[in-house]
Amino acid sequence: MILYNSLTRKKEEFVPLTPGEVKMYVCGPTVYNYFHIGNGRTFIVFDTIRRYFEYRGYKVNFVQNFTDIDDKMIKKANEEGTTVACVGDKYIDEYYKDADGLNIKRASTNPRATEFVQDIIDFISGLIEKGYAYEVAGDVYFRTKKFDGYGKLIKQSIEDLQSGARINIDERKEDPIDFALWKAQKPGEPAWESPWGLGRPGWHIECSCMAKKLLGETIDIHAGGMDLAFPHHENEIAQSEALTGKTFANYWMHSAYLNVNNEKMSKSLNNFLTAREALKNYDADVIRFLMLSAHYRVQLNFSGELLDSAKASVERLYNAVANLENLIDEVKKDKMDEKEEEYLKSLDVYRQKYIDKMDDDFNTADAITAIFDLIRDINSNINIESSKELCEKALELIRELGGPLGMLQKSTKGSLEEEIERLIEERQQARKDRNFALADKIRDDLKARNIILEDTPQGVRWKKVN
Ligand code: AMP
Ligand code: ZN
């Protein structure tokens, strides 16, 4: 498999640290609010990548953290007259509801930063011992200049970064680009005991520490949204590699923004749609289709029209599923004959095309095209004359290719029953209106689908016959 490594800015062959395994860390949400579908894009993208690794036979240890202590969390707790821990508990619960709603697989571990404070303190102490960090009045800063290679992720020299940072000169720091590892407590803030007095961890150190603790000193893939590359990921590399002397992550992956009117969807710009709201009107398959219809490194401009067109596309895909599900119930032949076996084999080209596209840096857009091609072929070649076995195998293949995308796993069966009930009601109405031609037509159409209506004293019943 090939993936684009943000660190080298090249597509590279994926070579895991341990054959057959992927150790992957994705920066998760700060849990002070419902997440929006911009965050959702990043979660869906890396969920898909994880699922695809699993599809290709890898065992994936997938860690996605919750940032449950920072300025925004403290502000929210003050606004709501509650504690930071309560805000965290609440929005972690809400995260799971929405992530489950979007069919995002649960991570192997979802660590909360506040559960790792002692490990973070140990990490920072290690950096101080090695001369990579210093304390000033209860704060601890990373001594950036001492770390060779600072700027290697964003490809900027330390001098450029220094001149960029000069605007925010902070007297306490040795250098404007030094960043906080530990923050001394301010009045009203939650705090933990540490060798530097009461305080709390900085954001960057949390991820470095949790990745090391849960996945090891060197991991395969570290990922997050594009906005995290600098300074968050750059700082993570500096802290981790300064402490261990080892490469922190072999591959860095960044997903592009979901935009609105060509601006990043974000809470601060107030141009967001929460996942919760989106899920009220659109199915998870539709939202995932929208996100995965573009390559993950290409920005995607969100609009209502785009969502509606994703809905229409997903309907086309599910029509094929419904068609096969109906055929499975209705066809007369059981087993495939030789010709059908050959036909089924011919469908392998779509699986191969799909794999080729996904193996090439997770090109979900082209992989979806391969699924459409498969469906077109199935629609024009599988029909009431086909065998049940062929219909089942074709449906299995659609579901197989939908699996890594987290799509196309639902049955349309429930909706078939609803459809029949609806048609029966329509027929009753037609009879009341003395429109017997329409009533008969509805009955005959259903009969053609092997559904027989029976008028009983208790009302209309239906049954399926073969
Ligand atoms: P946050 O809760 O803001 O830390 O964000 C959680 C994740 O969502 C991070 O990986 C961000 O990079 C990502 N993210 C935030 N906004 C967007 C957006 N508009 N498009 C894609 N990813 C985003
Ligand atoms: Zn992080």
Side-chain angles (χ1 to χ4, degrees):
M1 285 167 65
I2 304 280
L3 53 83
Y4 180 85
N5 188 353
S6 310
L7 188 64
T8 54
R9 306 222 167 148
K10 277 196 209 99
K11 280 190 184 179
E12 292 173 11
E13 175 79 36
F14 176 70
V15 184
L17 291 157
T18 310
E21 284 181 28
V22 183
K23 297 180 187 71
M24 183 165 180
Y25 185 98
V26 181
C27 292
T30 307
V31 280
Y32 71 105
N33 222 325
Y34 297 96
F35 70 85
H36 57 67
I37 58 170
N39 308 125
R41 180 180 188 194
T42 294
F43 304 148
I44 288 170
V45 158
F46 293 114
D47 173 60
T48 300
I49 289 173
R50 175 238 191 132
R51 285 169 182 265
Y52 187 68
F53 273 118
E54 287 171 347
Y55 175 74
R56 299 291 271 132
Y58 288 94
K59 189 169 149 279
V60 185
N61 192 348
F62 187 91
V63 177
Q64 184 181 290
N65 70 295
F66 290 121
T67 298
D68 63 348
I69 175 76
D70 85 334
D71 292 344
K72 286 175 284 196
M73 297 281 305
I74 295 169
K75 189 165 168 263
K76 183 81 173 189
N78 289 339
E79 277 166 16
E80 297 198 346
T82 180
T83 62
V84 170
C86 283
V87 171
D89 288 345
K90 171 171 179 196
Y91 288 105
I92 287 173
D93 274 358
E94 304 297 355
Y95 168 86
Y96 283 128
K97 282 185 205 158
D98 294 336
D100 290 349
L102 289 172
N103 198 19
I104 291 167
K105 242 177 116 166
R106 297 264 175 132
S108 317
T109 321
N110 280 129
R112 288 177 72 153
T114 53
E115 288 167 354
F116 289 81
V117 175
Q118 189 52 52
D119 297 295
I120 294 171
I121 290 171
D122 294 345
F123 199 121
I124 298 172
S125 303
L127 287 172
I128 293 178
E129 264 166 46
K130 292 192 160 186
Y132 282 107
Y134 56 95
E135 188 217 337
V136 191
D139 287 338
V140 182
Y141 295 99
F142 187 81
R143 188 170 277 127
T144 311
K145 256 193 325 237
K146 187 169 159 70
F147 178 71
D148 274 347
Y150 190 77
K152 67 180 168 183
L153 183 62
I154 53 149
K155 308 276 175 284
Q156 284 203 39
S157 71
I158 204 147
E159 290 75 25
D160 288 344
L161 292 167
Q162 276 170 328
S163 59
R166 292 222 183 276
I167 329 137
N168 296 316
I169 299 256
D170 180 341
E171 294 299 318
R172 287 167 306 173
K173 296 200 267 182
E174 290 176 3
D175 193 302
I177 49 170
D178 292 352
F179 55 90
L181 301 171
W182 186 262
K183 298 177 176 183
Q185 184 185 29
K186 292 198 195 99
E189 285 186 1
W192 289 260
E193 290 281 0
S194 82
W196 320 288
L198 284 168
R200 63 180 165 102
W203 171 37
H204 315 301
I205 194 76
E206 297 169 0
C207 287
S208 277
C209 178
M210 290 185 280
K212 171 171 169 283
K213 187 87 187 168
L214 296 166
L215 295 172
E217 291 183 339
T218 302
I219 67 174
D220 291 298
I221 299 174
H222 195 313
M226 203 55 232
D227 51 340
L228 300 188
F230 190 85
H232 186 52
H233 291 160
E234 193 72 55
N235 292 353
E236 280 192 50
I237 293 175
Q239 299 158 157
S240 296
E241 298 190 354
L243 185 76
T244 68
K246 295 179 186 153
T247 300
F248 177 34
N250 283 336
Y251 304 90
W252 285 84
M253 298 183 79
H254 293 102
S255 62
Y257 297 147
L258 184 71
N259 291 336
V260 180
N261 293 327
N262 299 311
E263 269 184 315
K264 180 189 167 197
M265 180 178 283
S266 70
K267 289 192 183 124
S268 55
L269 288 173
N270 207 22
N271 60 355
F272 63 90
L273 171 67
T274 59
R276 180 84 37 113
E277 276 303 310
L279 281 166
K280 276 190 195 151
N281 299 315
Y282 296 90
D283 194 78
D285 277 67
V286 172
I287 299 168
R288 292 186 73 108
F289 183 97
L290 172 91
M291 303 301 179
L292 300 174
S293 61
H295 189 268
Y296 76 91
R297 286 190 287 114
V298 176
Q299 298 198 8
L300 182 60
N301 206 23
F302 173 76
S303 67
E305 293 86 70
L306 205 61
L307 206 43
D308 286 332
S309 103
K311 188 174 173 206
S313 301
V314 169
E315 263 166 25
R316 271 165 59 211
L317 295 171
Y318 269 105
N319 281 342
V321 171
N323 189 29
L324 288 170
E325 285 188 324
N326 292 337
L327 286 173
I328 288 167
D329 287 342
E330 289 164 14
V331 291
K332 306 262 181 318
K333 224 170 29 169
D334 225 25
K335 292 276 162 213
M336 286 194 285
D337 56 26
E338 218 170 276
K339 222 171 132 212
E340 285 191 331
E341 273 181 27
E342 236 168 70
Y343 172 70
L344 181 67
K345 226 172 162 10
S346 77
L347 297 181
D348 284 350
V349 294
Y350 302 107
R351 180 194 284 113
Q352 198 50 55
K353 183 176 166 205
Y354 173 94
I355 289 177
D356 289 346
K357 296 300 177 184
M358 289 295 280
D359 272 3
D360 182 9
D361 195 29
F362 310 97
N363 191 337
T364 52
D366 285 358
I368 287 174
T369 305
I371 298 180
F372 272 112
D373 293 345
L374 166 70
I375 274 170
R376 206 167 301 123
D377 197 325
I378 288 174
N379 284 347
S380 50
N381 288 291
I382 298 187
N383 53 46
I384 195 77
E385 305 298 326
S386 308
S387 69
K388 185 173 174 191
E389 193 184 7
L390 177 63
C391 298
E392 283 169 347
K393 297 269 186 219
L395 183 56
E396 257 170 46
L397 182 55
I398 295 176
R399 295 232 162 97
E400 177 191 321
L401 303 190
L405 309 177
M407 289 168 46
L408 297 174
Q409 304 304 300
K410 291 185 199 116
S411 168
T412 60
K413 281 286 198 182
S415 50
L416 176 71
E417 277 161 26
E418 278 160 23
E419 189 195 347
I420 295 168
E421 297 294 342
R422 187 178 52 76
L423 287 169
I424 290 174
E425 255 171 53
E426 249 177 59
R427 175 168 169 266
Q428 294 297 81
Q429 190 58 46
R431 284 168 136 193
K432 269 192 211 145
D433 300 342
R434 306 191 68 76
N435 184 349
F436 297 112
L438 176 61
D440 288 348
K441 184 178 179 316
I442 292 172
R443 192 198 53 212
D444 293 344
D445 286 352
L446 284 169
K447 194 170 169 205
R449 292 164 67 180
N450 290 339
I451 290 155
I452 303 293
L453 301 187
E454 288 172 335
D455 294 303
T456 75
Q458 289 77 35
V460 183
R461 296 234 176 98
W462 63 272
K463 66 176 182 192
K464 213 155 174 51
V465 291
N466 281 318

